[in-house]
Amino acid sequence: MNDVAPTQHLTLGRRLHEIVLEPMKRAFVGKDEIIDLLGLCLVARENLFLLGPPGTAKSALVQDLARRIDGRVFDYLLTRFTEPNEIFGPFDIRKLRDGELTTNTEGMLPEASLVFLDELLNANSAILNSLLMVLNERVFRRGRETRALPTLMVVGASNHLPEDDALAALFDRFLVRAACENAPQEMLSSVLEAGWRLELEHGRAEATVGVAEIQSLHELLPRVNFSALRPDYVELVHRLRRAGIAVSDRRAVKIQRLLAASALLSGRLTADRTDLWVLRYIWDAQEQQQVLASHVQQAMAEAEEEQWQTAHPRARGDERPDPQRIAEDLAAIKRQLDQAEASNWSEVELALSRDRLGTLASRLQWIADEQQQAFLQGEVDALWRRLEQEP
């Protein structure tokens, strides 16, 4: 990359947001968060996991994004019986007759720029190892056949989280996680109107950015300067670990790609505190979301005023706590305490519950509805009393 290229590519980072992501937000009502995360993972060349029920436009979003960047898309619904041929393609019969094992990948995953795998956690052992290679190394390997893939991003979707170790390894390859739900009731009319327009204009989205331009942004990622942000990032990772959120060294290193992508999408070659918003989406369980949001918001609150002028739009998002989600998190702490009484939890595990409860309690003041706030405060007080009784 020559010396002039960084400035040109920084312009592309902002242009990607303006001419690809913003038009998508107008087309898909109520999906701003998911679209921003698609853009983030596209630039970082990382994978996105969407948790939610069918019919929430997950596949349609990936298909629309592929059209706008002039990329090939592979979209498939996994079942427990899905075979490798269905994902990667069959062996080439003509070459097989000559004793050569070569896969015919035309129209299959190995030739796609964007991949969407619905019901991801139905993946069986027959395809699991190959998928892990694709997700982690962007490599397809089958027998002696090995090839680098053009895959920019893999989006996986499921209506539940993994329940066994084999699938947990697959889930771990998706660095970014987000809930994709039906639009709120008050937005239904707008959803219907926008959805009808999409039906009439299906497939008409024009490519405004090319795959080669996205790849040039990938080349720019290592040039993002972390020197000012790294001490704050290290401190935030320590705080998250103390709050019971597992951030391994490997994940902490990879998250830097997300931070760099946020900076590039904002037209910067320097990462700053406002880019820490990406850590809201590294949860392993839904009850961690509010805890993450609280710690990330505290870290971002110390950003300088001029940094907010070039911040990613998601950094300035609405961070008011969700009362329903807090109620679910409090219920999870209650279940943990029930287990502690039955199996003598360690002091470390109890300390983590106290930290999580303290974080949730600090967010109650931002709940607008006084009745909801009072109810949740009562739940918090009851849990504090139980924790004080634990040895």
Side-chain angles (χ1 to χ4, degrees), residues 196-270:
W196 185 245
R197 283 200 306 272
L198 278 174
E199 287 288 333
L200 297 176
E201 301 172 1
H202 182 66
R204 295 184 186 175
E206 296 183 359
T208 49
V209 172
V211 168
E213 294 176 289
I214 303 298
Q215 292 170 336
S216 68
L217 282 172
H218 296 164
E219 296 174 9
L220 198 57
L221 286 171
R223 295 201 177 192
V224 175
N225 188 333
F226 279 93
S227 58
L229 176 62
R230 189 160 282 123
D232 301 316
Y233 175 51
V234 169
E235 174 58 27
L236 178 56
V237 170
H238 286 320
R239 287 169 58 188
L240 294 178
R241 288 173 173 175
R242 289 195 295 267
I245 296 174
V247 184
S248 66
D249 289 350
R250 181 181 65 82
R251 289 186 76 192
V253 170
K254 287 179 71 67
I255 289 168
Q256 291 180 116
R257 293 182 64 87
L258 301 177
L259 295 167
S262 172
L264 292 179
L265 283 165
S266 306
R268 290 182 275 108
L269 267 177
T270 300

Side-chain angles (χ1 to χ4, degrees), residues 86-97:
E86 300 173 59
I87 303 294
F88 303 107
F91 285 116
D92 191 319
I93 299 298
R94 292 166 298 181
K95 294 183 178 180
L96 188 60
R97 290 170 182 162

Side-chain angles (χ1 to χ4, degrees), residues 24-85:
M24 287 184 66
K25 292 177 184 179
R26 293 192 292 270
F28 292 88
V29 174
K31 300 300 181 185
D32 289 15
E33 179 181 49
I34 304 300
I35 291 168
D36 278 330
L37 293 175
L38 285 170
L40 178 76
C41 290
L42 184 66
V43 174
R45 210 184 184 196
E46 288 293 340
N47 307 313
L48 171 63
F49 177 84
L50 298 178
L51 177 67
T56 51
K58 298 185 287 291
S59 176
L61 283 165
V62 178
Q63 295 278 359
D64 191 74
L65 177 59
R67 285 191 290 269
R68 294 176 188 275
I69 65 169
D70 196 23
R72 294 184 180 183
V73 63
F74 179 79
D75 183 333
Y76 206 80
L77 173 65
L78 298 182
T79 73
R80 289 178 298 166
F81 308 105
T82 299
E83 297 180 356
N85 288 356

Side-chain angles (χ1 to χ4, degrees), residues 274 300-311:
T274 65
M300 290 171 60
E302 299 179 26
E304 299 175 4
E305 186 61 34
E306 58 267 24
Q307 292 176 334
W308 286 106
Q309 297 174 8
T310 59

